[in-house]
Amino acid sequence: DDSKKEYCSVQFDESEDKKKALQHSISDSETAISEMEGSIEELKEELGALDAGIRALDKSVAEATEQRKADNADYKDLMSSNKMAKEVLGWAKNRLNKFYNPALYKPPPKRELSSEDRIVENMGGVVPTEAPGGIAGTGIGAAFVQIREHSQVRREAPPPPPETFGPYTTKDEQGNGVIAMIDLLVKDLDKEMSEADVMEKDAQADYEKMLEDASTKRATDAKSMSEKENAKADTEVALQEEKQKLKDTKLDAMALAKYISSLHAECDWLLQYYDARKSARDSESESLVNAKAVLSGADYALVQTTATVRTGRFMAPRVQ
C-alpha cells in the first residue's frame, strides 16, 4: 500500500502539472489566434484602401491627361489662328502703306519663271500671271476662317459706324489711323499669344509635376500593398499552424483527462482507506507481537513450576 500510495501521489502531481501547462498553452493559442484573425482583418481593410487609392489615382491621372491634351489643342489652335490673323493684318497694313506710306511698302517677291516661261518671255511673248489665291488675293488660305471661327466669340463685334460724318480729315490721316488700329490689333494678338504661351508652359509644368508626384505615390502605395500582402500571407500561415497546435493540445488535454480519470479509478479507494488499512495493519502487527509475548511468558512459567516439583520429590521434610 505504501509504494502504491507513493505511485499514485507522484502520478497525480505530474498529471496536474501537465494539465496546468496544457490549459496555459490552450489559452495562449486562443489569444494568438484571436490576435492574428484581427490582424488579418486589419490588413484586408488596409489593402482595400490602398487598392482603392491606386485606382482613384490612376483615374485622376487619366482625367488630367485628357484635360491637358484638350488644353494643349486649344493652345495650338489659338496660336495658329492668331498667327494667321497677324498675317492678314500685315498684308492689309502693307496694302495701306502702298497708298499712304509708299516708302514702307514691301512689294511681293518677284515670280520665279520656269525655263519654259523664260523662253516665251525672251521671244517677246507674254507670260500669264497667276491670280493670287487665298482670302481677297492675300495668299492666306481660307482655312483661316474655319480655324478662327471658334475664337470669334471671345471678341466683341466692332461698334456700328456713326450715322453722321465726323470732322474732316485728309486721306493720309485716315490711312495712318487705320494703320495705327492695325498695329494695335497686332499688339493685342501678340499679348494674347504671349499670355497663352506662359499659361501653356505653366500648365505643362504643373501637369508634369502632378505626374511625378502621382508616380511616386503610386510606387510607394504599390510597395506598401506588396508588403501588406506578404504580411497577410505569413499571418494566414501562422494562423493555420496555431489552429493545428490548438487542436493537438486539446487532444492531449483530453487524453490526459482520461488518464487522470483512470488514476482516480485506480487510486481513490486506496487513498481513501489508506489510513484505516494502515491502522488495521498496525493493530494486527501489535496483536501478533503481544500474542507472541504472551506465549513466550507462559512457557517460562511452566518451566519454573516443573523445576519446583522435581526439587520437592528429592528433599525430605525436616523433623523438628
Side-chain angles (χ1 to χ4, degrees), residues 68-102:
R68 181 85 280 273
K69 289 180 179 179
D71 292 344
N72 181 256
D74 291 341
Y75 163 76
K76 290 179 178 178
D77 289 344
L78 175 66
M79 298 299 282
S80 177
S81 61
N82 283 6
K83 181 179 179 182
M84 296 187 72
K86 287 176 62 177
E87 291 178 0
V88 172
L89 293 173
W91 175 85
K93 178 180 177 181
N94 191 50
R95 295 285 290 181
L96 289 172
N97 283 334
K98 183 177 181 180
F99 295 101
Y100 301 107
N101 298 305

Side-chain angles (χ1 to χ4, degrees), residues 14 30 82 107 115 139 141 146 175 201 205 236 252 261 281 311:
E14 292 180 353
E30 290 175 345
N82 283 6
S115 57
Q146 296 176 349
K201 289 179 180 179
E236 288 174 343
D252 291 342
S261 178
R281 285 195 304 272
T311 301

Side-chain angles (χ1 to χ4, degrees), residues 1-17 259 263-264 266-268 270-271 274:
D1 285 351
D2 291 339
S3 61
K4 186 69 173 179
K5 179 178 181 294
E6 182 180 0
Y7 164 79
C8 290
S9 298
V10 170
Q11 292 301 312
F12 275 124
D13 290 341
E14 292 180 353
S15 298
E16 188 64 25
D17 292 340
Y259 176 69
L263 274 180
H264 281 293
E266 180 180 0
C267 299
D268 283 354
L270 173 65
L271 295 176
Y274 174 80

Side-chain angles (χ1 to χ4, degrees), residues 299-309:
D299 291 342
Y300 179 74
L302 179 62
V303 171
Q304 286 183 341
T305 304
T306 303
T308 302
V309 171

Side-chain angles (χ1 to χ4, degrees), residues 25-26 28-34 36 236-249:
S25 177
I26 289 173
D28 289 345
S29 293
E30 290 175 345
T31 301
I33 288 172
S34 178
M36 284 188 283
E236 288 174 343
V237 171
L239 176 62
Q240 295 303 318
E241 292 177 351
E242 195 65 35
K243 285 183 175 180
Q244 184 62 44
K245 177 184 175 182
L246 176 62
K247 181 180 179 180
D248 295 339
T249 304

Side-chain angles (χ1 to χ4, degrees), residues 32-312:
I33 288 172
S34 178
E35 291 177 352
M36 284 188 283
E37 288 177 342
S39 297
I40 290 173
E41 289 302 319
E42 290 180 1
L43 287 171
K44 286 181 178 179
E45 292 178 0
E46 292 173 358
L47 285 170
L50 285 172
D51 183 66
I54 290 175
R55 291 178 183 274
L57 182 64
D58 291 343
K59 182 180 179 181
S60 66
V61 169
E63 291 175 350
T65 300
E66 291 300 320
Q67 185 62 43
R68 181 85 280 273
K69 289 180 179 179
D71 292 344
N72 181 256
D74 291 341
Y75 163 76
K76 290 179 178 178
D77 289 344
L78 175 66
M79 298 299 282
S80 177
S81 61
N82 283 6
K83 181 179 179 182
M84 296 187 72
K86 287 176 62 177
E87 291 178 0
V88 172
L89 293 173
W91 175 85
K93 178 180 177 181
N94 191 50
R95 295 285 290 181
L96 289 172
N97 283 334
K98 183 177 181 180
F99 295 101
Y100 301 107
N101 298 305
L104 300 178
Y105 174 70
K106 297 177 182 179
K110 293 183 179 181
R111 178 186 174 191
E112 290 290 335
L113 299 177
S114 64
S115 57
E116 292 83 0
D117 291 340
R118 282 197 296 270
I119 293 173
V120 172
E121 190 178 56
N122 291 334
M123 294 179 65
V126 178
V127 178
T129 301
E130 295 181 0
I135 303 171
T138 62
I140 301 174
F144 167 74
V145 178
Q146 296 176 349
I147 295 174
R148 192 61 178 170
E149 183 180 9
H150 75 279
S151 64
Q152 292 300 320
V153 295
R154 289 180 290 186
R155 288 198 174 94
E156 296 181 359
E163 297 181 357
T164 60
F165 292 103
Y168 174 78
T169 57
T170 63
K171 290 183 178 181
D172 289 342
E173 291 176 347
Q174 292 176 353
N176 290 332
V178 173
I179 292 173
M181 183 178 65
I182 290 175
D183 289 339
L184 183 60
L185 291 175
V186 171
K187 184 178 180 181
D188 289 341
L189 289 173
D190 287 337
K191 180 180 179 182
E192 183 180 22
M193 293 173 70
S194 177
E195 292 176 351
D197 190 56
V198 172
M199 292 176 63
E200 172 64 17
K201 289 179 180 179
D202 290 344
Q204 182 65 24
D206 292 341
Y207 172 71
E208 292 175 357
K209 182 65 169 58
M210 183 275 296
L211 286 182
E212 182 180 355
D213 293 342
S215 177
T216 301
K217 178 172 176 52
R218 196 183 197 287
T220 301
D221 289 348
K223 180 181 179 182
S224 178
M225 195 170 181
S226 177
E227 292 174 351
K228 291 183 183 298
E229 286 177 346
N230 292 335
K232 176 174 171 288
D234 293 341
T235 305
E236 288 174 343
V237 171
L239 176 62
Q240 295 303 318
E241 292 177 351
E242 195 65 35
K243 285 183 175 180
Q244 184 62 44
K245 177 184 175 182
L246 176 62
K247 181 180 179 180
D248 295 339
T249 304
K250 286 183 175 180
L251 290 175
D252 291 342
M254 291 175 62
L256 179 62
K258 291 182 179 179
Y259 176 69
I260 292 175
S261 178
S262 66
L263 274 180
H264 281 293
E266 180 180 0
C267 299
D268 283 354
W269 185 87
L270 173 65
L271 295 176
Q272 182 179 359
Y273 296 103
Y274 174 80
D275 292 337
R277 288 167 58 85
K278 186 175 185 304
S279 178
R281 285 195 304 272
D282 291 343
S283 297
E284 183 179 357
S285 298
E286 184 178 358
S287 298
L288 290 173
V289 170
N290 292 333
K292 184 177 180 181
V294 170
L295 291 175
S296 297
D299 291 342
Y300 179 74
L302 179 62
V303 171
Q304 286 183 341
T305 304
T306 303
T308 302
V309 171
R310 288 179 179 177
T311 301

